Amino acid sequence: MQQVLLNIGTGQTQLIDAPVPALEAGHVLIRTRRTLISAGTERMLIDFGRASMLDRARKQPDKVKMVFDKVRTDGLLAAVDAVRAKLDQPLALGYSNVGVVIEAGAGVTQFRAGDRVVSNGNHAGIVSVPKNLCARIPDNVDEESAAFTVLGAIGLQGLRLAQPTLGETVVVTGLGLIGLMTVQILRAQGCRVMGIDHDPIRLEMARKFGAYAVDASASDDLVPRAVEFSRGRGVDAVILTASTESSEPVSQAAKMCRRRGRIVLVGVTGLKLSRQDFYEKEITFQVSCSYGPGRYDASYEQQGQDYPIGFVRWTEQRNFEAVLDLMASNALDVAPLITHRFSIENAEAAYSVLSSGEPSLGIVLQYPEVTSKRETDSRTIVLDGSRSFGLAAKPVVGCIGAGNYGGRILIPALAKAGAELHTLVTMNGLNAVQYGKKFGFTRASTSTDELFAEKEINTLVIATRHDSHARLAAQALRSGWHVYVEKPLALNREQL
């Protein structure tokens, strides 16, 4: 399958062939039909990758501190090696994916093969996504529209934190994809909306969605205009969906608000706040975290433990569903937001538009229909088809796992020792391709079953988590292979 990656060290995007990811318990395997490029987040990542080391340091001072801490504890060379290794790792782009369920993993009962779903999966032909990060698409919602669900959920979560009520006046600063969807959701909730941006096309679109739109670059009286729009009372809330290093949007928001108004930051701005602006009016300021409750909670996202609806009404998944319901009822129309369409084969051209300055909003990537079952079963890909091992005198190595230790220490040591490197297996396949190409493996895979079916391999290196060691080591020993295990080994006698 094809997948879009970003080299965080250079800022270059590339389309690679990658093995189909393994299906884990609690996950759903999805064949992708459409994905949406997140203009804000993905452009930010590309710009960061292209920035100089000095500019990167300025943007992430917390990471600089971590580097200096590592220099003090482990030495300069170890710190430099860690930074280089981090920059060398590929980053999978994308988090707004629409597709059809191929298979549901153990413990998944709400989805079945053939269901159309939206998820936060990457730009890839097939993705494996935790069940709590998927939502079924209503029949009357088309796939291109559904691709906007995840970004819509980000705006919806900011709106929930602002707690607007019927008839309130709300300002949305920044009319990109999330801002324009937020405008529509606020209008659907019966709010009067003022939109602020500097792009005339986006301003006109906000007007069509029912907002009072103001050009930030042509007006130096944004605060008086907002107060006038609120009938002289001050606006009830401001939702900041802009991306800027300036703190001016936050300062303006505080001055626009009525006493005890609310400000919610959904985008990225400078945060040099004036205490006086907030103190006199007792203004509430809150930062919104992505799609909603559950985000970055491994128990919810990875282990599938849902929050009780009686205590947490709106989780990430339920926000996805709410956005889809708005689309199904025509309260949220995202079709006008689509400015470009590209096939996945032309993904690099799509990212050229993103970074060129050409006017754009929604950039949709389209995926070809699968023509054979083999395309969804290709969990092993050939990296170097020219090599043949035959009756090699040296160990012919299969390796499972390529985390920090495996990729930075163990595999380089094997290559330096002259081992014949055959197949590298990882769970999602990206590290298998990355380290497989770097150190000369002939195959990259996400399937241990296909690894054990290889007749040329005679030695297995296990560099996975402890809980998988016994099973993998026992299977290798039954195959008559030599086994090296990275950590202390636990064997179950019954498995041998």
Side-chain angles (χ1 to χ4, degrees), residues 2 34 44 52 142 163 205 227 243 251 300-301 459 473 481:
Q2 294 177 305
R34 299 288 189 276
M44 180 181 66
S52 66
D142 66 89
Q163 298 181 334
M205 199 167 291
V227 173
S243 178
S251 177
Y300 177 88
E301 292 192 333
T459 303
W481 293 359

Side-chain angles (χ1 to χ4, degrees), residues 52-97:
S52 66
M53 292 301 292
L54 180 59
D55 287 339
R56 295 184 195 187
R58 287 171 177 164
K59 291 179 180 179
Q60 293 192 323
D62 54 326
K63 297 293 193 298
V64 175
K65 182 179 182 300
M66 291 172 62
V67 172
F68 280 116
D69 289 343
K70 189 167 184 66
V71 170
R72 282 193 292 269
T73 57
D74 299 340
L76 178 61
L77 292 179
V80 170
D81 178 65
V83 171
R84 286 177 175 169
K86 192 67 177 177
L87 293 176
D88 191 43
Q89 290 180 348
L91 179 66
L93 288 175
Y95 58 86
S96 194
N97 181 297

